[in-house]
């Protein structure tokens, strides 16, 4: 089969022929139809310190995908050949305290598809049946391929009820834009999104943001002023990983405000801890998706609201055949894009 592979420790990737993965008794083999590029894949391509310390080549990369089930293991009863499916990319141990309590997103031994084991930038991927999310047959395959990042956005945005709340999202990457759609859907009053890219802020506005802030020209205080807000934002969703974004967030939260942090910082940074403490601001780190409540919630939002479906679909701005993976990676790196998909069909 074709597989986009990290062959040796160092920069670069190769599209090579590899043997198809084999399906164990509790596994499911999926013919990949679409796959999405994520920041992780760019780190793996460039081979930064994180990649060098995490990955053991050879490795097929890629973890955002949708496809058709072509084989199920002898012990699998929950998935059938011919099902259309997306996949949860975190494979948990099932035996640690959190796993046994049903808090699988907090597994202490979680393994990533396309990071710690072979992934989905290939004609076929094998995952445990428990990681398969069977999709309705009518779902657009492109939408099926973005359930992983949509799940990050959903997990982050639904930490607290949003009805009537003023919500600010820092970072209008694909996940920040999807979070704007979720905040709109979940009943926020104002949804404000910040980024340094006008291209991406346009996507956020189309996803349902009331106001966008280009941080090269304005700040969240300007957003508050133009909306006539007097006390600060109630809920912040940090989706940039940028230290200045967090500083501006903390300066513009109402007392008692709550911030969910998904964006991964490139390095440690300082915070105004005095404000965090005296304003009683909650900071909550977010990882992955809840297995499988997040999957349930996003599936129902997609199934029940055409507005929501369209808001998520417009985040997918570029599609490339798998052979043109280099162009796809260059596009994702340019930032002049929303979600970039590879077509493996
Ligand atoms: P992305 O890199 O495409 O988007 C980040 C955006 O933040 C970019 O558009 C960038 O222009 C913007 N930005 C940079 N500085 C900013 C600032 N000062 N203020 C506002 N915006 C700023 O990433 P994505 O795929 O949308 O993912 C969002 C973040 O979530 C990334 O940091 C990613 O690493 C992280 N992530 C975390 C998890 C997790 O489980 N915690 C999972 C997936 C992604
Ligand atoms: Zn575990």
């Amino acid at each position: 089969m074709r597989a986009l592979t990290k062959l040796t420790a160092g920069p670069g990737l190769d599209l090579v022929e590899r043997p198809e993965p084999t399906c164990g008794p509790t596994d499911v083999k999926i013919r990949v139809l679409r796959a999405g590029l994520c920041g992780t894949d760019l780190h793996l391509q460039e081979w930064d310190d994180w990649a060098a310390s995490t990955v053991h080549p050879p490795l097929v990369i890629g973890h955002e995908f949708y496809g058709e089930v072509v084989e199920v293991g002898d012990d699998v009863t929950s998935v059938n050949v011919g099902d259309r499916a997306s996949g949860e990319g975190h494979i948990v141990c099932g035996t640690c305290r959190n796993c046994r309590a049903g808090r699988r997103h907090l597994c202490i031994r979680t393994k990533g598809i396309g990071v710690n084991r072979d992934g989905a930038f290939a004609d076929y991927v094998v995952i445990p049946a428990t990681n398969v999310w069977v999709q309705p047959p009518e779902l657009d395959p492109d939408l099926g391929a973005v359930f992983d990042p949509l799940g990050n956005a959903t997990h982050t945005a639904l930490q607290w009820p949003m009805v009537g709340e003023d919500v600010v999202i820092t970072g209008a990457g694909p996940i920040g834009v999807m979070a704007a759609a979720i905040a709109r859907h979940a009943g926020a009053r104002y949804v404000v999104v910040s980024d340094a890219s006008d291209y991406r802020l346009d996507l956020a506005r189309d996803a349902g943001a009331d106001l966008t802030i280009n941080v090269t020209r304005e700040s969240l205080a300007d957003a508050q002023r133009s909306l006539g807000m007097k006390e600060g934002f109630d809920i912040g969703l940090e989706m940039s990983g940028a230290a200045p974004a967090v500083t501006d967030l903390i300066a513009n939260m109402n007392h008692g405000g709550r911030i969910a942090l998904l964006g991964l910082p490139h390095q440690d940074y300082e915070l105004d801890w005095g404000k965090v403490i005296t304003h009683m601001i909650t900071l909550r780190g977010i990882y992955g998706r809840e297995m499988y409540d997040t999957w349930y919630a996003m599936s129902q939002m997609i199934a029940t609201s055409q507005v929501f479906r369209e808001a998520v679909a417009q985040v997918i701005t570029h599609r490339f055949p798998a052979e043109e993976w280099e162009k796809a990676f260059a596009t994702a790196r340019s930032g002049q894009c929303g979600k970039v998909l590879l077509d493996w069909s």
Side-chain angles (χ1 to χ4, degrees):
M1 66 169 187
R2 300 171 299 167
L4 190 56
T5 308
K6 172 69 73 182
L7 287 173
T8 52
L13 294 167
D14 291 281
L15 185 62
V16 296
E17 284 293 319
R18 296 252 305 198
E20 291 178 20
T22 52
C23 190
T26 56
D27 291 333
V28 169
K29 182 172 171 181
I30 294 172
R31 168 78 177 97
V32 178
L33 298 173
R34 301 282 189 285
L37 267 69
C38 155
T40 304
D41 304 313
L42 303 182
H43 292 303
L44 292 174
Q45 184 194 32
E46 72 195 33
W47 200 247
D48 60 10
D49 290 346
W50 168 81
S53 66
T54 310
V55 168
H56 304 288
L59 177 86
V60 180
I61 73 160
H63 58 274
E64 301 179 0
F65 69 98
Y66 168 90
E68 180 175 353
V69 174
V70 292
E71 187 183 343
V72 300
D74 289 343
D75 299 344
V76 174
T77 54
S78 56
V79 184
N80 296 301
V81 170
D83 282 348
R84 295 299 185 102
S86 306
E88 165 57 54
H90 289 169
I91 293 171
V92 299
C93 76
T95 56
C96 73
R97 176 179 175 180
N98 283 316
C99 276
R100 296 191 69 175
R103 298 184 293 261
R104 287 180 280 271
H105 57 295
L106 298 176
C107 173
I108 60 167
R109 283 183 283 267
T110 195
K111 296 261 182 285
I113 294 172
V115 176
N116 308 112
R117 56 182 271 163
D118 279 339
F121 287 172
D123 286 317
Y124 297 95
V125 63
V126 164
I127 57 174
T130 47
N131 280 64
V132 174
W133 188 259
V134 174
Q135 297 282 20
E138 68 276 11
L139 182 75
D140 173 2
D142 287 0
L143 276 180
V146 301
F147 266 59
D148 174 301
L150 179 60
N152 295 135
T154 303
H155 187 193
T156 313
L158 298 187
Q159 287 299 312
W160 302 288
M162 277 194 173
V163 176
E165 303 287 38
D166 292 338
V167 176
V168 55
I169 300 165
T170 49
I175 299 179
V177 174
M178 292 183 202
I182 297 162
R184 185 86 286 149
H185 184 85
R189 179 172 73 149
Y190 293 135
V191 180
V192 174
V193 180
S194 71
D195 202 289
S197 152
D198 286 326
Y199 179 100
R200 293 190 149 189
L201 291 172
D202 283 346
L203 296 177
R205 211 166 301 113
D206 290 343
D210 297 290
L211 183 69
T212 56
I213 290 292
N214 188 315
V215 294
T216 63
R217 300 191 290 268
E218 309 149 287
S219 73
L220 298 180
D222 297 318
Q224 288 207 60
R225 261 192 299 281
S226 43
L227 291 169
M229 289 173 56
K230 302 224 162 24
E231 302 197 348
F233 291 95
D234 305 300
I235 293 176
L237 308 177
E238 205 308 291
M239 306 197 145
S240 74
V246 183
T247 302
D248 202 25
L249 257 183
I250 287 172
N252 283 280
M253 299 303 291
N254 199 349
H255 292 210
R258 290 154 293 179
I259 302 174
L261 300 115
L262 182 87
L264 291 162
H266 302 296
Q267 63 220 15
D268 294 345
Y269 54 84
E270 291 191 357
L271 276 190
D272 186 345
W273 286 106
K275 236 174 221 148
V276 171
I277 293 161
T278 59
H279 295 186
M280 289 189 70
I281 290 170
T282 300
L283 300 176
R284 182 179 291 179
I286 305 293
Y287 186 60
R289 297 149 294 278
E290 269 195 52
M291 300 167 220
Y292 281 83
D293 248 26
T294 301
W295 288 84
Y296 184 84
M298 65 178 149
S299 292
Q300 303 321 331
M301 289 190 286
I302 288 282
T304 59
S305 167
Q306 190 178 346
V307 170
F308 184 75
R309 253 190 328 271
E310 285 171 1
V312 174
Q314 59 99 30
V315 181
I316 305 165
T317 55
H318 293 78
R319 297 157 176 86
F320 295 91
E323 278 72 23
E324 293 180 22
W325 65 271
E326 283 173 297
K327 269 192 209 162
F329 274 66
T331 304
R333 215 174 273 288
S334 75
Q336 290 291 102
C337 61
K339 181 55 75 178
V340 178
L341 295 187
L342 289 173
D343 187 342
W344 289 85
S345 60

